[in-house]
Amino acid sequence: MSYKRYYLFIFLILGIISLVQPASAEEEKNIYEERLSLYKKTEALTQIPWYYIAAIDQYERQVQKGLEDDQLISIKIPEELWYGIGNSSQKKDTQIINLFSGKGKDGNDDKLADPNDPEDILYTMANLILEYGQTEEDIRIGIWNYYKRDLAVHTIKNTAKVFKKFQDINLTDRDFPVAINYNYSYRNTWGDRRGFGGNRIHEGTDIFADYGTPVKSTTYGVVELKGWNLYGGWRIGIRDIYNIYHYYAHLSGYEDEVKVGQIVKPGDILGSVGSTGYGPPGTSGKFPPHLHYGMYKDNGYSEWSFDPYPYLKKWERMARNK
């Protein structure tokens, strides 16, 4: 075989391998860049800040079922709202949609309002919000009138705050919830029985460590709750940009700057390991010091606990490889 034929053969083999490999990190980065470009274009057309548009899309990405991993835009506006009641043939012509009082808009000047076109979807959603005004308060009122759910408004507002602060939507870093240079141990304790306060299941993983071991944020998010709880003692709740609530309990104390409404990122210190809880404020020492770490998912209708252990194992590996 000649050198030319040999190198051609190698080139073809490498090309075939590239076709069957899963999406690369570069491809994943590109979809974030494409989304951000669309959000900013919609902002230019409507003056609705891009980070609110991005936060709405992010919220829908978490609550919609059956989405493809590489779906560019996840917002799905109900057909009767898009086309208008009476437009049974679902004509996409903007004049016909307007005739039937539909809300679908043309975001790319092709004279059509297509509920499967990313630009049309974002432009339409932004205009639904614009019906209530352009101020921050107007935007939140518009979001509430669309979703009719306080938690949806709260989640979208906080996600928008995170996107605005970091000027990015590709926020995929994570960290382990206790400092890995300290001694600690844990196993899967989610679902175990608990007796204090009546029979109930354990909604988290216990990470045992010495008093004072730093407790860290695992994710990008906003501090939603801080204070005493009968079961959890001194605790903190953070809602992240994936509509997941992260619950840290039994702390011995808080980092000085931590407050409700604060934006956090992976690795930010929240407080330290303790053994508080199972009694009135200040109760401590009824069990060995540990961090109770719980995760709760919201699907747009209800919120439930799920097992954090597999995520902790993954984030622990990520932290050790930094």
Side-chain angles (χ1 to χ4, degrees):
M1 182 183 292
S2 69
Y3 283 114
K4 287 184 179 179
R5 287 184 178 179
Y6 173 78
Y7 285 121
L8 178 60
F9 175 75
I10 295 297
F11 177 78
L12 289 172
I13 292 295
L14 291 174
I16 293 171
I17 291 173
S18 68
L19 287 174
V20 299
Q21 283 181 329
S24 66
E26 185 63 31
E27 289 171 329
E28 185 177 335
K29 179 182 177 182
N30 288 340
I31 196 170
Y32 283 109
E33 291 175 349
E34 192 173 354
R35 284 172 183 158
L36 187 55
S37 176
L38 287 172
Y39 301 148
K40 290 187 174 181
K41 177 186 176 182
T42 306
E43 177 186 48
L45 292 173
T46 65
Q47 303 308 303
I48 297 293
W50 72 264
Y51 42 84
Y52 267 105
I53 298 165
I56 292 169
D57 188 40
Q58 180 76 345
Y59 177 77
E60 293 257 353
R61 189 166 291 110
Q62 310 313 314
V63 301
Q64 292 283 355
K65 294 180 179 179
L67 294 180
E68 299 292 334
D69 291 340
D70 59 351
Q71 188 158 322
L72 186 59
I73 299 299
S74 300
I75 296 170
K76 186 174 178 60
I77 297 171
E79 290 181 350
E80 63 275 13
L81 183 61
W82 185 281
Y83 291 108
I85 297 174
N87 186 1
S88 57
S89 57
Q90 297 187 344
K91 297 291 186 182
K92 296 180 177 65
D93 185 283
T94 53
Q95 291 183 334
I96 295 176
I97 288 175
N98 289 336
L99 180 66
F100 286 98
S101 300
K103 300 294 186 179
K105 301 290 184 185
D106 172 17
N108 52 11
D109 294 324
D110 64 357
K111 310 304 180 187
L112 299 175
D114 185 350
N116 296 309
D117 184 298
E119 291 179 278
D120 292 353
I121 294 168
L122 294 178
Y123 187 58
T124 299
M125 175 55 77
N127 274 276
L128 287 170
I129 303 301
L130 264 180
E131 292 179 4
Y132 300 88
Q134 291 181 321
T135 69
E136 292 274 331
E137 185 60 28
D138 292 336
I139 291 170
R140 291 170 193 170
I141 291 171
I143 294 170
W144 190 92
N145 277 280
Y146 184 79
Y147 290 103
K148 298 290 194 298
R149 188 167 183 249
D150 289 338
L151 185 55
V153 179
H154 185 71
T155 300
I156 291 169
K157 178 193 72 174
N158 282 345
T159 300
K161 285 175 62 175
V162 175
F163 288 160
K164 180 182 180 181
K165 178 177 176 64
F166 295 102
Q167 290 294 299
D168 198 0
I169 58 172
N170 187 8
L171 304 174
T172 55
D173 292 342
R174 293 292 181 270
D175 206 343
F176 195 66
V178 302
I180 60 173
N181 57 329
Y182 285 68
N183 291 323
Y184 66 89
S185 65
Y186 68 106
R187 61 181 181 83
N188 193 347
T189 55
W190 188 84
D192 289 356
R193 291 185 63 183
R194 288 293 185 269
F196 181 81
N199 288 328
R200 54 195 174 88
I201 69 163
H202 188 235
E203 296 183 346
T205 292
D206 289 336
I207 305 173
F208 290 89
D210 294 332
Y211 286 106
T213 299
V215 171
K216 302 185 293 181
S217 174
T218 60
T219 185
Y220 293 91
V222 176
V223 177
E224 191 172 280
L225 176 149
K226 173 188 173 185
W228 183 267
N229 175 271
L230 176 66
Y231 301 114
W234 300 118
R235 86 300 197 208
I236 288 178
I238 293 171
R239 193 168 299 275
D240 73 9
I241 60 174
Y242 296 95
N243 205 14
I244 294 173
Y245 182 74
H246 301 253
Y247 179 70
Y248 304 76
H250 308 314
L251 303 177
S252 62
Y254 303 109
E255 189 72 4
D256 290 342
E257 287 78 23
V258 172
K259 60 184 182 297
V260 172
Q262 178 182 339
I263 298 169
V264 296
K265 65 182 184 302
D268 283 354
I269 303 298
L270 305 175
S272 53
V273 170
S275 61
T276 58
Y278 284 24
T283 302
S284 180
K286 290 194 171 183
F287 39 77
H290 68 277
L291 171 69
H292 169 97
Y293 182 78
M295 296 174 70
Y296 297 79
K297 176 67 175 174
D298 174 58
N299 64 359
Y301 300 96
S302 60
E303 190 173 60
W304 70 93
S305 166
F306 64 96
D307 186 2
Y309 183 78
Y311 299 90
L312 291 171
K313 296 298 288 185
K314 178 181 178 180
W315 299 339
E316 184 181 29
R317 289 193 299 270
M318 290 173 67
R320 293 192 180 282
N321 290 329
K322 285 182 180 179

